[in-house]
Amino acid sequence: MRAPVAVPGPRDRRCVQLGQVEAALRPNTGLPVEWSAMSAPVVVELQQGSPADLAGLAVGDTVVALNGQFPRDVIEWQQLVDEADLELEIERGGLAITIEVDKRAGEPLGIDVDAAIFDRVRTCDNHCDFCFIYQLPKGMRRSLYLKDDDYRLSFLYGNFTTLTRFTEADLERVITERLSPLYVSIHATDPAVRSHMLRNKRGAMSLRWLEAILDADIEVHGQVVCCPGVNDGSTLEQTLADMLDRYHRLASIAVVPLGVSRYSPVDAMRPHTIAEARAVVATVERWQGIFLDVLGRRMVYAADEYYLRAGRPFPDHHTYEGVDMHEDGIGMAATFGREFRGETDQAVSTASGFFAWVEGAPPAGYRAPRNPGASPDAPATPVELTARPHSKKPIGVLTGTLGAQVIEPLIAATSTPTPTRVIPVANEFFGGNVGVTGLMVGADLQRVLAAEPQGDRYLLPDVCLSNGRFLDGLTVDDLPRPVEVIATDGISLRKAIGA
Ligand code: SF4
């Protein structure tokens, strides 16, 4: 059986959401929806005893129309199936069948379908020098190369959109259907800088849509991917000043460093120096003070990666003011520390990783919890089933080089019943400045684990897996040592090592 589509997922702080677009694919073709024609949703799961089941629907049915209408995506789908007493036109084995479904308004229909977008995913018409898709090696899954810029994926998955392809009709839909929150890539408010960064002249003017969306009281989270020598320094200052002046209703602004892989085709795109990272942190913190004075909230935050690069301690948890930007790599270190030290019993596992990408949430409810399982057969709560606190075996915690800088001090300050060490996995697959745990690939883990002793317990955070696969297509079965997959949060790690 094909897996149900994963609707919500983590967003990638670098605009392109590796893996999330995969969630909108048609699993039977492996093709992004954008590359295939408009096609009706196919039933991939059917709940026994549900209205759909009682009415005679079956897995594999293609739902051609609902009450005579053709939903474009799961947003419209959800609105239609919320109605009472549906008439479904389906196709089964080449036959057209009409099925009447008795149900109450708001009662779940009881089926999951195979895609989130039924027409075409709107692709990006920008050509950013810092785009991570241009920095992927050849030969990866086709879906990873799809550049989306679709406000629906922004709403459903938290993908960032530049709004360069946004239209008046889109605005009307966002407002009338209250598609909130949305996530917008800003990068710079200077029209010339923004159009230069996006390599698209529409980038100069498309932030007008941001004002219109904010005017309609839609919650919007902004992102600035900061490229040294391009939009840092005085440009970042001007951008933050404009935020205060024109976009102060933004829920948050995440300032994140560009990611540079060794496949980057643009020499000018380089990681920040330590001095540049310190300057970004200083700018953001100064503007936090200004925003706090004027608006009563800090609004702008720098990515954890900046603090690591700058050699600065992470800000205190409370300074993040409850704004959830973990999937942007912001405040995650502080949250992870609180979780690990037992200062909270609420794991923020829906937002793990500096560069998280997972799949597995059902289409109903749009922004459902992520699936922490490492593979289609993985347990729903992996840490509960894999943690073996009574084992006396030494433990190795596998993580990216950035994650290691966060986790090592936590473990060093904790007493554990068995020797526990952090194993940083240098990312040779991507190279460059890529050190985030979510981008660990199977090949690098193979190399690192082969040098580790047999018989130890090895813990692997689930954030680097999607439907059981690493980005390079390998699975945990391809690793030279058995690993225990745990959810990527401090509570799960603490439990798994028996601390
Ligand atoms: S080209 Fe730019 S806007 Fe388009 S997907 Fe890449 S980073 Fe995002």
Side-chain angles (χ1 to χ4, degrees):
M1 180 191 298
R2 284 170 281 164
V5 66
V7 170
R11 57 188 177 277
D12 164 5
R13 60 196 168 80
R14 290 168 183 135
C15 176
V16 173
Q17 292 71 35
L18 301 185
Q20 289 167 349
V21 172
E22 285 192 303
L25 308 185
R26 295 213 169 266
N28 54 334
T29 64
L31 289 174
V33 172
E34 189 275 335
W35 294 348
S36 57
M38 161 100 189
S39 56
V42 177
V43 178
V44 291
E45 278 192 13
L46 180 70
Q47 288 161 17
Q48 283 195 347
S50 66
D53 184 28
L54 297 176
L57 265 98
V59 169
D61 286 346
T62 299
V63 182
V64 178
L66 270 161
N67 286 349
Q69 298 189 54
F70 308 93
R72 290 172 287 179
D73 46 52
V74 289
I75 306 168
E76 287 185 349
W77 167 275
Q78 190 65 51
Q79 291 162 353
L80 290 169
V81 300
D82 264 352
E83 294 177 10
D85 299 335
L86 304 173
E87 182 180 279
L88 275 67
E89 292 169 38
I90 65 161
E91 185 187 297
R92 180 184 296 166
L95 297 176
I97 304 172
T98 301
I99 293 182
E100 308 273 349
V101 180
D102 289 331
K103 67 182 279 293
R104 300 183 306 279
E107 182 182 7
L109 177 58
I111 61 175
D112 284 342
V113 292
D114 69 334
I117 305 293
F118 310 147
D119 56 5
R120 289 168 182 263
V121 170
R122 194 173 300 172
T123 51
C124 157
D125 62 349
N126 307 311
H127 303 281
C128 310
D129 286 343
F130 56 86
C131 180
F132 205 71
I133 285 180
Y134 297 148
Q135 303 184 53
L136 295 175
K138 289 181 179 153
M140 299 182 76
R141 300 196 286 280
R142 290 179 70 189
S143 54
L144 296 177
Y145 299 96
L146 176 64
K147 300 189 305 174
D148 80 275
D149 201 351
D150 193 317
Y151 69 96
R152 299 172 298 176
L153 294 180
S154 184
F155 170 68
L156 290 167
Y157 293 84
N159 291 13
F160 280 91
T161 172
T162 62
L163 299 173
T164 50
R165 298 197 62 193
F166 203 71
T167 66
E168 198 70 51
D170 299 334
L171 178 65
E172 189 177 329
R173 185 175 180 201
V174 164
I175 293 172
T176 55
E177 298 183 20
R178 306 307 298 170
L179 301 186
S180 174
L182 295 177
Y183 300 83
V184 174
S185 283
I186 296 168
H187 305 326
T189 49
D190 180 302
V193 175
R194 190 166 191 266
S195 61
H196 167 74
M197 288 187 74
L198 299 180
R199 299 223 177 269
N200 183 346
K201 62 180 187 303
R202 279 201 295 277
M205 298 304 296
S206 59
L207 285 183
R208 72 188 188 283
W209 296 117
L210 176 59
E211 292 196 78
I213 292 168
L214 290 170
D215 283 346
D217 284 332
I218 299 295
E219 181 179 322
V220 181
H221 297 266
Q223 173 179 251
V224 171
V225 175
C226 204
C227 303
V230 179
N231 62 335
D232 57 350
S234 59
T235 304
L236 180 59
E237 293 277 353
Q238 185 59 50
T239 297
L240 294 176
D242 288 341
M243 300 286 177
L244 183 60
D245 184 33
R246 286 153 47 196
Y247 308 112
H248 52 267
R249 282 171 292 186
L250 279 165
S252 67
I253 307 160
V255 179
V256 303
L258 82 167
V260 184
S261 92
R262 65 190 168 98
Y263 302 99
S264 172
V266 184
D267 289 342
M269 291 293 108
R270 59 169 178 82
H272 293 264
T273 64
I274 294 172
E276 288 166 343
R278 287 180 177 157
V280 169
V281 170
T283 299
V284 167
E285 291 189 344
R286 190 162 46 73
W287 275 95
Q288 283 183 329
I290 297 169
F291 284 123
L292 197 56
D293 286 345
V294 178
L295 303 176
R297 60 193 177 99
R298 288 175 175 81
M299 197 157 99
V300 61
Y301 304 89
D304 292 353
E305 198 172 325
Y306 273 124
Y307 286 89
L308 290 171
R309 181 83 179 139
R312 293 274 312 275
F314 295 116
D316 193 73
H317 169 74
H318 83 275
T319 63
Y320 294 100
E321 300 172 340
V323 179
D324 178 5
M325 295 176 291
H326 293 97
E327 291 166 24
D328 247 350
I330 288 180
M332 191 207 164
T335 300
F336 196 95
R338 292 186 74 233
E339 292 169 345
F340 187 83
R341 290 187 297 269
E343 295 166 13
T344 175
D345 56 5
Q346 295 289 318
V348 190
S349 60
T350 54
S352 60
F354 289 90
F355 190 138
W357 66 288
V358 285
E359 302 165 322
Y366 303 138
R367 300 184 67 82
R370 74 177 200 173
N371 174 5
S375 73
D377 302 323
T381 52
V383 69
E384 299 288 339
L385 299 181
T386 60
R388 288 183 276 166
H390 302 303
S391 168
K392 298 292 182 216
K393 294 177 181 175
I395 297 173
V397 181
L398 298 157
T399 183
T401 50
L402 291 173
Q405 294 181 60
V406 175
I407 295 172
E408 267 170 350
L410 295 172
I411 289 183
T414 305
S415 86
T416 55
T418 52
T420 300
R421 64 192 186 283
V422 174
I423 306 174
V425 179
N427 198 316
E428 293 186 1
F429 183 84
F430 285 114
N433 71 341
V434 177
V436 294
T437 306
L439 281 179
M440 279 197 303
V441 299
D444 286 322
L445 283 159
Q446 282 179 326
R447 184 192 73 249
V448 168
L449 277 170
E452 294 291 327
Q454 293 198 37
D456 287 7
R457 290 178 59 207
Y458 295 101
L459 306 181
L460 180 74
D462 67 347
V463 71
C464 58
L465 291 162
S466 177
N467 283 345
R469 286 185 300 172
F470 298 101
L471 260 177
D472 60 358
L474 298 181
T475 71
V476 290
D477 293 336
D478 297 316
L479 301 180
R481 307 275 180 272
V483 297
E484 299 168 37
V485 178
I486 64 169
T488 314
D489 62 76
I491 294 175
S492 298
L493 178 61
R494 176 164 49 87
K495 284 184 183 173
I497 66 176

